[in-house]
Amino acid sequence: MQSDIHAFQIVLLLLLVFVVALGMLSRKLKTPYPIVLVIGGLVLSFIPEIPRTNLNPDIVFFVILPPLLYSAAWLTSWREFSHNLVSICFLAFGLVTFTVLGVTQIGQWLLPGFDWRVGLVLGAVVAPTDAIAATSIANRIGLPKRIVHILEGESLINDASALLALEFGLALLVGGERPTFVFGLARVTYLVAAGILTGLIVGEIVHFVEHRIDDGPIEITLSILTPYVAYLTAEAIQASGVLAVVVCGLYLSRKSSHFFSPSVRLQATAVWDSLTFILNGLVFVLIGLQLPYVLDAIRDHNLRELLGYAALFSVFLILLRLIWAFPGAYVSSLIRRRLLHQQESIPNLRQIFVVGWTGMRGVISLAAAIALPQTFADGTPFTQRSIIIFLAFSVILVTLVLQGLTLPPLIRVLGLAGGPADRSHEENDARRTILQSALSYLHDKQTNAEPEFAEIYQDLTQHYRRRLSAYGEDLDEAESRGIRQFHNRHVEISRELLQVERQMAVKLRNERRISDELLRELEYELDLGEARFVAKRST
């Protein structure tokens, strides 16, 4: 028992070291970290001394997936998600169905020993996409936000539709069942409705509890527990755990401004940023490290022949997405304009092509393939299982590396690269309105204030007028220069004073006049002040 724990500790430590080292390398190369981590994992898998680390599907589905889905849903704008819901559903449900049916057909004549039922299982395995690499590239080079929102929304819910298709495929193949259309429709309805309801109920309970506490560690712990509670509750009633987590994350994200205090929000953001990076890093390194396992699974097959199948299959999947992207975009746009009366422009061919090129697969496909049973219900071996694992692994490598590396130059060639502030007009208007409201409040308070407090209001007015000038307010050159100099000097002196306070706090600790615990509390308060002044300096 002790030796097993010790071995696990060593493996986990090595994985975290790989994540940190490869993450630093990705920053230097200015390449999305999923691509670097996968390639790095592949390279490391060739080193004999590296411990063999097999991907456990249960760890992926029940440990890693819930917090990653929750974090992605939390950071998703409900306004954009609901506005683009038709387009998202055409990809998350329509494209998944199209992919499953397409793979079902091609599997029968392209792959040896595959019938339509095995093809259905393979199609469900490779249908879900992972948008981490695509959206990180898109955000960095300024791809239009509309495309980013659609890709993020697709990756949030297409796991649910793909896993449902896999459930039907396994019922047909392994269990020998033949679900009817009515049964299938009822199952889909229950899966979606119960999953959404579970997410809302868990979200409302967490919202109720959060309103009654204001303690950073407790609230952060609760936020980490929440996706697991939503996922496992939904799975226990045979609903969609994916949809439950996504709905819960979207709901609580919109409510968070009511129950998170500023200090808790800062702590929670830092914790979740680190947690999602670690989990994503472990996932992508593990994908690369699965190469020995995948090669062992196909050792009885002709490797050169399988590589040919993998190349053809990967190209076919890329073409399937591109084929669906164009009519799907036009039909969804028509529905949004004609039926929902949204102010939606006709889709741009270049943008549609980019959406079609971002069908990168991730760990869900590999975990689903590894989780396939080794025998049928009658005890017959599932001989195609090893080929499915190999094809899923190959598709992940081809789509993630090939499409991920070619996406930035493709976006630039198509003329879609822009500034990172695609929402700059909306953001500037919002900030300008907020600052004007604050100045109006200051003006009203100053009118009725006692004379001895007039300097305070003048000081604050100078600050707000300086900030307002950065968002398009017209000031004459002399006034603008004076306000800017005043603002910069104020920030500079304030930060110097914070340093004086910090040095004195450390001195008091060194002289044993305060405890280490009190020093940490004082430093945290000073860090918050420092962060505020850094933000002021940047504006």
Side-chain angles (χ1 to χ4, degrees):
M1 178 69 177
Q2 187 175 359
S3 61
D4 290 342
I5 295 175
H6 183 63
F8 173 78
Q9 288 175 329
I10 292 176
V11 170
L12 182 60
L13 178 62
L14 283 173
L15 289 174
L16 290 175
V17 169
F18 296 156
V19 170
V20 171
L22 294 171
M24 292 171 61
L25 179 61
S26 71
R27 284 185 172 273
K28 286 187 174 295
L29 298 176
K30 295 183 179 179
T31 303
Y33 71 87
I35 299 174
V36 176
L37 289 169
V38 168
I39 296 174
L42 279 174
V43 173
L44 291 169
S45 69
F46 288 103
I47 301 176
E49 288 76 16
I50 298 295
R52 290 284 297 274
T53 308
N54 292 337
L55 190 66
N56 188 324
D58 289 338
I59 291 178
V60 174
F61 289 121
F62 296 105
V63 178
I64 294 177
L65 184 60
L68 291 182
L69 285 172
Y70 185 76
S71 175
W74 185 279
L75 297 175
T76 297
S77 166
W78 169 249
R79 187 192 71 172
E80 310 303 336
F81 183 83
S82 58
H83 181 73
N84 294 306
L85 187 59
V86 174
S87 300
I88 290 170
C89 287
F90 262 80
L91 291 172
F93 293 99
L95 178 57
V96 166
T97 303
F98 185 66
T99 301
V100 171
L101 294 178
V103 174
T104 300
Q105 291 300 316
I106 195 175
Q108 299 179 67
W109 61 268
L110 175 64
L111 301 170
F114 276 59
D115 59 16
W116 68 272
R117 295 174 303 170
V118 180
L120 179 63
V121 170
L122 174 59
V125 165
V126 298
T129 58
D130 190 321
I132 295 174
T135 53
S136 63
I137 293 169
N139 285 319
R140 191 178 73 244
I141 66 178
L143 192 66
K145 284 292 180 181
R146 176 190 171 194
I147 297 179
V148 179
H149 293 314
I150 290 174
L151 293 175
E152 289 174 338
E154 176 198 5
S155 68
L156 276 178
I157 58 179
N158 68 358
D159 294 342
S161 56
L163 293 176
L164 174 64
L166 182 60
E167 177 184 327
F168 279 103
L170 289 175
L172 283 165
L173 181 65
V174 180
E177 302 175 18
R178 289 189 175 275
T180 63
F181 175 78
V182 174
F183 172 81
L185 183 61
R187 178 71 180 122
V188 170
T189 303
Y190 175 79
L191 185 93
V192 173
I196 292 174
L197 185 61
T198 301
L200 289 174
I201 291 173
V202 172
E204 185 55 38
I205 293 173
V206 173
H207 184 215
F208 176 82
V209 174
E210 285 278 11
H211 261 299
R212 283 151 181 79
I213 54 176
D214 184 18
D215 186 285
I218 294 176
E219 291 187 76
I220 292 170
T221 303
L222 180 60
S223 73
I224 294 174
L225 287 174
T226 299
Y228 292 109
V229 172
Y231 190 89
L232 294 175
T233 302
E235 290 290 318
I237 61 173
Q238 296 186 332
S240 171
V242 171
L243 287 179
V245 174
V246 169
V247 169
C248 185
L250 287 169
Y251 178 80
L252 287 174
S253 177
R254 279 188 65 85
K255 299 287 185 180
S256 63
S257 58
H258 301 296
F259 58 75
F260 267 175
S261 64
S263 61
V264 171
R265 193 189 316 278
L266 288 170
Q267 295 175 68
T269 300
V271 169
W272 272 98
D273 283 349
S274 301
L275 179 62
T276 53
F277 174 75
I278 290 171
L279 292 178
N280 276 316
L282 289 173
V283 160
F284 287 108
V285 168
L286 281 171
I287 289 175
L289 289 172
Q290 296 315 295
L291 180 61
Y293 175 82
V294 173
L295 293 178
D296 284 347
I298 59 167
R299 63 180 179 272
D300 296 330
H301 297 79
N302 187 317
L303 181 58
R304 180 176 297 179
E305 190 175 87
L306 285 182
L307 287 175
Y309 289 138
L312 287 173
F313 185 64
S314 300
V315 171
F316 177 72
L317 279 183
I318 293 172
L319 289 176
L320 275 181
R321 184 177 176 92
L322 288 170
I323 291 170
W324 176 268
F326 289 92
Y330 281 110
V331 174
S332 62
S333 177
L334 187 65
I335 293 173
R336 293 171 65 175
R337 287 186 287 117
R338 297 287 178 85
L339 299 181
L340 303 181
H341 306 292
Q342 294 180 349
Q343 299 298 318
E344 188 67 23
S345 59
I346 297 175
N348 185 307
L349 291 176
R350 295 171 300 164
Q351 294 180 355
I352 297 173
F353 186 83
V354 168
V355 171
W357 193 250
T358 51
M360 302 168 193
R361 271 62 180 182
V363 71
I364 299 301
S365 293
L366 188 58
I370 295 174
L372 293 176
Q374 298 185 8
T375 59
F376 297 138
D378 59 1
T380 306
F382 185 5
T383 55
Q384 292 83 15
R385 178 179 178 272
S386 58
I387 301 178
I388 292 176
I389 294 173
F390 175 76
L391 291 175
F393 182 79
S394 302
V395 165
I396 292 169
L397 290 185
V398 171
T399 57
L400 190 62
V401 177
L402 173 65
Q403 291 184 291
L405 292 177
T406 57
L407 187 58
L410 175 66
I411 293 173
R412 295 189 184 95
V413 167
L414 293 177
L416 295 176
D422 184 56
R423 59 178 181 178
S424 59
H425 181 71
E426 176 186 332
E427 181 178 347
N428 287 345
D429 283 347
R431 291 184 182 276
R432 190 185 302 114
T433 302
I434 292 169
L435 293 172
Q436 286 171 343
S437 175
L439 276 171
S440 177
Y441 175 82
L442 280 173
H443 181 267
D444 293 341
K445 294 288 289 183
Q446 187 175 4
T447 303
N448 303 317
E450 293 84 348
E452 59 268 26
F453 298 137
E455 251 185 75
I456 297 174
Y457 290 102
Q458 289 174 4
D459 181 30
L460 290 170
T461 300
Q462 286 276 65
H463 282 300
Y464 274 88
R465 285 182 65 78
R466 160 71 185 93
R467 291 174 61 188
L468 192 58
S469 67
Y471 297 104
E473 284 294 303
D474 294 328
L475 300 174
D476 61 67
E477 186 177 347
E479 183 180 11
S480 178
R481 184 170 58 253
I483 291 174
R484 185 163 55 251
Q485 290 174 347
F486 176 87
H487 170 82
N488 291 341
R489 186 59 180 158
H490 183 278
V491 171
E492 186 180 327
I493 294 174
S494 299
R495 292 187 67 182
E496 289 174 359
L497 289 173
L498 283 174
Q499 291 301 318
V500 171
E501 292 184 56
R502 194 186 305 276
Q503 291 169 5
M504 181 51 67
V506 173
K507 182 179 179 181
L508 289 173
R509 192 277 311 271
N510 292 340
E511 293 176 353
R512 298 180 178 272
R513 294 165 63 183
I514 62 173
S515 65
D516 288 347
E517 180 184 9
L518 179 55
L519 175 64
R520 284 193 294 270
E521 292 179 11
L522 292 172
E523 286 185 323
Y524 177 69
E525 294 173 7
L526 294 171
D527 288 342
L528 291 179
E530 182 84 12
R532 285 194 295 270
F533 283 118
V534 168
K536 285 184 179 181
R537 170 64 89 180
S538 66
T539 58

